[in-house]
Amino acid sequence: MTLREAQEDLRYLLDRGYKKRVALDFVANHYKLKRKDRNYLARYVFSKSTIRRRKEKLVSPESLRGSKIILDGYNVLITVESILQGDFFIAQDGFLRDSRGVFGKYKLNDETFKALRLVFKALKVLRVGFVKFYFDKNVSFSGELASIVRRLLKDYEIHGEVELSSNVDYNIKSEAEDSVVATSDSAIIDKANRVFDIPFFIWEYLIGDSLEVKKQ
């Protein structure tokens, strides 16, 4: 019950123009929330105006045929892994997000390859024209992961490339104007003109009802 009340209070403050960090600090301290619940609120609750703007940027699966996609590598990969583990939620802005918060500590595992195959299956079904994967080169084994993705591009006969970067967010934002961006990162979404949620597409169309969305 406390978390639900915290959601309502945070939404109330955001709708009245309070900055997210200020409002979140106030609500989290008031309800004495644990770090996990605080992080969840940060990624789940948004103002009505933010929700409206972001939903206006979402493009349909049909519109991706022949399009260029900039793919936020770790964001998409970790989120798809979380779907496979049943540890995810649909935020108020409509984007599917993971509950684990493992970025920076990410390691290749058995789920990595399952998730990658689902991502490539989605790209194939969507018939994208070109996809550019961005991975943070500061994360362990990024070079190995990039090599795997390059091989999968050939195997699935998808035109694309992989780039390692120390500033992925900046790179994606700088290229977002002429491309569709695949991410659930709030900062990138707000800078992009067109966005597509690949993990949501995978959950809704490729996995179906076999995994239920996490209830909060």
Side-chain angles (χ1 to χ4, degrees):
M1 187 64 180
T2 297
L3 189 58
R4 179 59 59 87
E5 292 172 343
Q7 290 177 24
E8 294 173 355
D9 287 358
L10 179 57
R11 176 67 175 271
Y12 178 89
L13 294 173
L14 294 177
D15 282 341
R16 279 148 186 81
Y18 282 78
K19 292 188 178 297
K20 184 75 169 276
R21 181 170 295 182
V22 173
L24 181 60
D25 285 343
F26 178 82
V27 171
N29 291 336
H30 176 73
Y31 287 101
K32 299 180 174 59
L33 297 181
K34 295 180 180 179
R35 184 176 180 178
K36 181 179 180 180
D37 289 338
R38 177 194 170 96
N39 290 339
Y40 164 72
L41 283 184
R43 302 169 71 228
Y44 177 80
V45 180
F46 301 96
S47 68
K48 291 179 182 178
S49 60
T50 296
I51 292 170
R52 182 177 63 254
R53 286 197 307 272
R54 291 183 181 173
K55 288 187 175 181
E56 288 174 350
K57 296 182 179 187
L58 279 168
V59 299
S60 68
E62 295 77 16
S63 69
L64 293 182
R65 184 171 184 175
S67 297
K68 178 182 178 181
I69 292 182
I70 304 296
L71 197 147
D72 188 357
Y74 279 115
N75 176 277
V76 171
L77 179 58
I78 291 171
T79 306
V80 175
E81 286 186 24
S82 296
I83 293 175
L84 294 173
Q85 297 176 12
D87 196 4
F88 66 99
F89 58 87
I90 308 298
Q92 291 181 346
D93 61 354
F95 285 83
L96 189 152
R97 294 188 171 93
D98 74 281
S99 306
R100 300 183 297 157
V102 300
F103 183 77
K105 301 175 288 185
Y106 183 81
K107 294 182 180 179
L108 297 178
N109 57 79
D110 291 340
E111 297 292 294
T112 300
F113 303 100
K114 294 178 184 178
L116 281 174
R117 283 194 290 271
L118 283 170
V119 170
F120 274 88
K121 183 177 180 180
L123 293 172
K124 197 71 174 178
V125 169
L126 293 165
R127 298 185 181 182
V128 300
F130 185 91
V131 57
K132 186 173 185 178
F133 286 80
Y134 269 108
F135 289 103
D136 190 326
K137 69 179 182 181
N138 297 315
V139 177
S140 299
F141 304 106
S142 287
E144 182 179 347
L145 181 58
S147 296
I148 294 170
V149 172
R150 290 188 184 102
R151 186 168 65 249
L152 288 171
L153 285 169
K154 293 181 180 179
D155 291 345
Y156 280 82
E157 298 181 333
I158 294 174
H159 296 294
E161 62 181 322
V162 184
E163 184 166 330
L164 297 177
S165 170
S166 58
N167 198 340
V168 169
D169 286 14
Y170 174 81
N171 291 125
I172 294 178
K173 290 173 186 177
S174 66
E175 298 182 33
E177 185 174 348
D178 300 322
S179 306
V180 178
V181 177
T183 188
S184 62
D185 183 292
S186 292
I188 296 177
I189 293 170
D190 290 339
K191 289 292 184 180
N193 292 324
R194 294 176 295 159
V195 187
F196 187 74
D197 190 347
I198 287 180
F200 189 96
F201 178 82
I202 289 172
W203 172 64
E204 187 170 31
Y205 293 101
L206 303 186
I207 294 178
D209 297 330
S210 60
L211 292 171
E212 294 185 357
V213 63
K214 185 176 181 179
K215 302 296 184 182
Q216 294 287 349

